[in-house]
Amino acid sequence: MASPAILPITSQPTAADTTQQIGPTPAFRSFINHISTTVQTGFANRRPWSELLDRSAFSKPESISDATLRIRKNYTYFRINYLSLLAVVLAFSLLTNPFSLITLSGLLAAWLFLYLFRPSDPPLVLFGRQFSERETLGLLIVSTVVVIFLTSVGAVLVSALMVGLGIVCIHAAFRAPEDLFLDDQESPATGFLSFLSSGAANVVAPAVAARV
């Protein structure tokens, strides 16, 4: 007698497998954790705002060279406070321009989830078309150029940075640094937002290198 046919059994993906596939990648979680840690450390090391706004320490600089020296010393001492002010000005400018905020957020999300932290396998499929890694990178670069230079987003960012830098430079030029203890300083490479030059590179670089 012939043996009965054996039907193939296809295992169905479990809920845990589905969650693991659509969940954030380890590189993305590491990136977010590093940003959170760096920001918390930076705010913990900021100078007292009362010291920044001490009216008795303000005086007119004697010359342009004196103002330049004050800016350098005050930036070294109040670096985290100044960067916080720049961030507040930038955030206020974006909040008052919803189109720029939404567009910039979408562009950042596209870079993060479509290229930097997206697994290389399976390939990206949009609108029924499959995109290679080079095509995805090219589309993101073109989109970035269009958003920054051909819309109001670039003007909003530049104007906000110019206003923030103007506030910082005016304060630093008129704030006499004689009462500041400039010897007890953290290294220039540390502090608020230092992940832009150090830690983020260690997280993003492996994700990009894996696609080369």
Side-chain angles (χ1 to χ4, degrees), residues 15-86:
D17 296 334
T18 305
T19 304
Q20 183 176 5
Q21 292 176 0
I22 66 176
T25 63
F28 180 74
R29 289 196 297 267
S30 177
F31 179 73
I32 295 300
N33 291 335
H34 184 82
I35 291 179
S36 177
T37 302
T38 304
V39 171
Q40 292 177 3
T41 303
F43 277 119
N45 294 330
R46 71 181 183 276
R47 305 300 179 181
W49 291 102
S50 59
E51 187 175 6
L52 181 76
L53 302 176
D54 184 9
R55 292 189 300 176
S56 63
F58 285 88
S59 62
K60 183 180 179 180
E62 298 178 357
S63 61
I64 296 180
S65 59
D66 182 35
T68 304
L69 181 61
R70 287 186 177 188
I71 292 175
R72 292 177 57 186
K73 289 184 177 181
N74 282 318
Y75 175 75
T76 301
Y77 188 81
F78 293 112
R79 177 171 58 251
I80 297 175
N81 301 74
Y82 286 154
L83 290 175
S84 300
L85 286 174
L86 285 176

Side-chain angles (χ1 to χ4, degrees), residues 17-167:
D17 296 334
T18 305
T19 304
Q20 183 176 5
Q21 292 176 0
I22 66 176
T25 63
F28 180 74
R29 289 196 297 267
S30 177
F31 179 73
I32 295 300
N33 291 335
H34 184 82
I35 291 179
S36 177
T37 302
T38 304
V39 171
Q40 292 177 3
T41 303
F43 277 119
N45 294 330
R46 71 181 183 276
R47 305 300 179 181
W49 291 102
S50 59
E51 187 175 6
L52 181 76
L53 302 176
D54 184 9
R55 292 189 300 176
S56 63
F58 285 88
S59 62
K60 183 180 179 180
E62 298 178 357
S63 61
I64 296 180
S65 59
D66 182 35
T68 304
L69 181 61
R70 287 186 177 188
I71 292 175
R72 292 177 57 186
K73 289 184 177 181
N74 282 318
Y75 175 75
T76 301
Y77 188 81
F78 293 112
R79 177 171 58 251
I80 297 175
N81 301 74
Y82 286 154
L83 290 175
S84 300
L85 286 174
L86 285 176
V88 169
V89 173
L90 182 60
F92 178 80
S93 179
L94 290 175
L95 289 175
T96 54
N97 293 272
F99 172 78
S100 299
L101 177 61
I102 295 174
T103 304
L104 195 61
S105 299
L107 181 63
L108 178 61
W111 272 102
L112 291 177
F113 297 106
L114 297 182
Y115 188 77
L116 292 178
F117 299 111
R118 184 183 63 82
S120 58
D121 188 26
L124 178 65
V125 178
L126 292 176
F127 306 107
R129 186 184 185 280
Q130 181 174 310
F131 292 86
S132 65
E133 295 297 329
R134 290 189 177 183
E135 290 175 334
T136 303
L137 179 60
L139 287 175
L140 288 173
I141 293 176
V142 172
S143 301
T144 302
V145 172
V146 171
V147 168
I148 298 299
F149 295 101
L150 300 183
T151 66
S152 60
V153 175
V156 170
L157 293 177
V158 172
S159 60
L161 290 176
M162 293 297 294
V163 170
L165 287 175
I167 295 174

Side-chain angles (χ1 to χ4, degrees), residues 141-208:
I141 293 176
V142 172
S143 301
T144 302
V145 172
V146 171
V147 168
I148 298 299
F149 295 101
L150 300 183
T151 66
S152 60
V153 175
V156 170
L157 293 177
V158 172
S159 60
L161 290 176
M162 293 297 294
V163 170
L165 287 175
I167 295 174
V168 168
C169 290
I170 292 176
H171 176 275
F174 283 86
R175 210 287 184 190
E178 284 76 10
D179 60 329
L180 306 180
F181 297 96
L182 299 177
D183 293 332
D184 183 20
Q185 295 296 317
E186 57 184 1
S187 62
T190 61
F192 189 51
L193 298 183
S194 63
F195 63 89
L196 291 177
S197 60
S198 58
N202 298 330
V203 177
V204 177
V208 177

